[in-house]
Amino acid sequence: MKTTITMCLITAVAALGISCADNREFLPGEVWLDENGVAINAHGGGMLYHDGRYYWFGEHKTEGEGGNRANVGVHCYSSRNLHDWRDEGIALAVDAEGSGSPIEKGCILERPKVIYNKQTDKFVMWFHLELKDRGYSAAMSGVAVSDNITGPYKFLNAGRVNAGKWPLNVSDETRQAAEAIAAGREAEVADNDRFLVRDFAVGQMARDMTLFVDDDGKAYHIYASEENQTLQIAELTDDYTAHSGRYVRAFVGRSMEAPAIFKHDGKYYLMMSGCTGWAPNAARSAVADAVMGEWTELGNPCIGDDADKTFHSQSTYMLPVAGRKDTFIYMGDRWKPENAIDGRYIWLPVTLEDGRFTLTWQPSWKL
């Protein structure tokens, strides 16, 4: 009888993706190896839990400063327990140098995120894309799809977003001023709205980004826009491959990037960073009753030494741990732009209390 109960418990726990032997430590900032003993190469990444496995998608970096450009593509790893990672290969490969493709070798391809569409049975990847040799001026979003979670993903298109569309919360004054300017009349646009108006016809900028699928199946694209001055939150179409045209501006003029979102007890929480390039800064946090806001800022969620530097990391994803109620993991990157491949991963447990979330540095910790 005792053996039967033990085996049932092992089976039940394994169904949640957690092994009885997985009482191991996470070591933020150390070199993390895959099952082949090779350093995991998935920077600025996101996670998708599907059919009992976690799939980690991230930027494949190469050595040196040139490794900050996309020389390979998007790497994928999978795990049942968040410790043992199997190399699933390159999910989306960049196109050959000289091909003229938007994703040719040498472009900038950042923060890939993958979501699953139950209606189409497709896996959809979005990422921030900068065209080769154009610096960060393009500020495009790229989309790719696959029938298989690990790929290969087929690149669909890339471009600016929501061209010719006003956000749901644009002011009448700004809309009227923009219409007057378009008609050749003089009008004054509020300082915080000038980039929104400038890019209305060609499409809004989209840089650091994440994706979020709500409980009702609606998906959202959250990205730094308007020269990184304002965050925009946009609804995707039912197949997740384009924008529906419905979007809002959040934290106008606050200069935030690196958005990461999660939902808990009916409320939505965001973590973001300031805009200081590769250098770390104090994180920001916010809460709302709906994805599109209104959002209320909660301040820096980090506590303790180096909290003003987010423990020398920058947010990329908030991971709900499968089968563990109220358990979330902060996923961050410790960038090393002088040798991109040596960037490290900072994962920390999220504490939820009194309507906000916090992070405390731990050099080692267990679930």
Side-chain angles (χ1 to χ4, degrees):
M1 182 66 175
K2 183 177 179 181
T3 301
T4 301
I5 293 173
T6 300
M7 290 305 298
C8 287
L9 284 171
I10 291 173
T11 303
V13 172
L16 300 178
I18 302 164
S19 162
C20 291
D22 288 327
N23 193 28
R24 284 173 288 173
E25 293 180 326
F26 291 97
L27 301 172
E30 299 296 325
V31 175
W32 294 2
L33 306 179
D34 65 17
E35 291 181 327
N36 298 319
V38 178
I40 293 173
N41 199 335
H43 309 268
M47 199 79 71
L48 176 61
Y49 184 75
H50 186 76
D51 288 344
R53 291 190 76 87
Y54 295 92
Y55 292 85
W56 181 0
F57 298 87
E59 307 159 29
H60 182 105
K61 300 289 192 184
T62 54
E63 290 186 4
E65 190 174 353
N68 295 303
R69 295 185 291 274
N71 297 310
V72 178
V74 177
H75 212 134
C76 178
Y77 296 84
S78 75
S79 174
R80 288 195 178 276
N81 55 25
L82 297 175
H83 287 288
D84 301 305
W85 292 98
R86 182 170 70 199
D87 186 352
E88 300 287 358
I90 302 302
L92 174 68
V94 296
D95 291 329
E97 193 169 8
S99 65
S101 164
I103 61 167
E104 75 169 284
K105 182 179 179 180
C107 69
I108 296 173
L109 193 162
E110 297 178 334
R111 297 182 179 270
K113 304 292 185 290
V114 174
I115 51 179
Y116 173 64
N117 190 296
K118 293 181 180 179
Q119 294 182 37
T120 63
D121 194 29
K122 300 278 189 184
F123 298 93
V124 183
M125 178 189 294
W126 284 71
F127 48 89
H128 163 216
L129 178 67
E130 300 289 349
L131 302 178
K132 184 179 179 180
D133 298 328
R134 291 267 301 274
Y136 277 82
S137 63
M140 291 179 171
S141 295
V143 187
V145 298
S146 178
D147 293 327
N148 302 304
I149 190 167
T150 57
Y153 282 75
K154 178 184 178 182
F155 174 67
L156 294 183
N157 54 66
R160 291 284 185 92
V161 298
N162 287 312
K165 303 288 185 181
W166 288 113
L168 300 177
N169 55 352
V170 67
S171 69
D172 290 337
E173 292 80 9
T174 293
R175 187 197 297 261
Q176 290 164 6
E179 290 170 352
I181 293 170
R185 302 192 302 272
E186 288 188 5
E188 187 173 338
V189 176
D191 188 57
N192 278 339
D193 296 348
R194 68 188 189 281
F195 297 126
L196 172 74
V197 172
R198 181 197 68 185
D199 296 335
F200 174 74
V202 298
Q204 299 299 318
M205 307 176 84
R207 289 182 178 139
D208 281 7
M209 56 139 287
T210 194
L211 299 177
F212 176 73
V213 180
D214 210 346
D215 300 333
D216 61 1
K218 283 285 185 185
Y220 299 87
H221 181 207
I222 304 170
Y223 49 92
S225 190
E226 303 174 37
E227 300 289 358
N228 285 11
Q229 288 194 3
T230 297
L231 210 67
Q232 292 186 358
I233 303 173
E235 181 186 79
L236 298 181
T237 54
D238 288 343
D239 66 0
Y240 301 169
T241 64
H243 283 209
S244 72
R246 299 180 72 252
Y247 74 103
V248 297
R249 304 167 77 208
F251 316 107
V252 175
R254 290 282 288 122
S255 296
M256 298 188 185
E257 60 182 12
I261 187 172
F262 69 100
K263 185 177 183 180
H264 178 255
D265 282 352
K267 290 190 179 293
Y268 302 81
Y269 295 89
L270 263 172
M271 182 168 176
M272 301 143 291
S273 79
C275 296
T276 53
W278 296 110
N281 55 59
R284 291 95 175 274
S285 64
V287 64
D289 292 324
V291 180
M292 289 191 170
E294 298 281 332
W295 288 89
T296 300
E297 288 197 52
L298 300 173
N300 187 351
C302 301
I303 297 172
D305 293 342
D306 293 325
D308 62 336
K309 296 289 188 291
T310 315
F311 315 118
H312 299 278
S313 72
Q314 186 183 40
S315 49
T316 187
Y317 198 75
M318 288 294 201
L319 172 64
V321 180
R324 297 209 176 194
K325 189 176 183 298
D326 304 333
T327 303
F328 299 87
I329 295 175
Y330 160 79
M331 293 174 55
D333 290 279
R334 183 171 287 174
W335 301 113
K336 295 191 178 179
E338 69 283 357
N339 187 23
I341 197 171
D342 193 33
R344 306 292 177 87
Y345 311 109
I346 306 298
W347 289 12
L348 293 169
V350 175
T351 299
L352 289 149
E353 190 174 19
D354 298 328
R356 60 173 298 177
F357 68 92
T358 57
L359 308 173
T360 304
W361 173 254
Q362 300 183 44
S364 65
W365 60 279
K366 300 177 182 179
L367 275 176

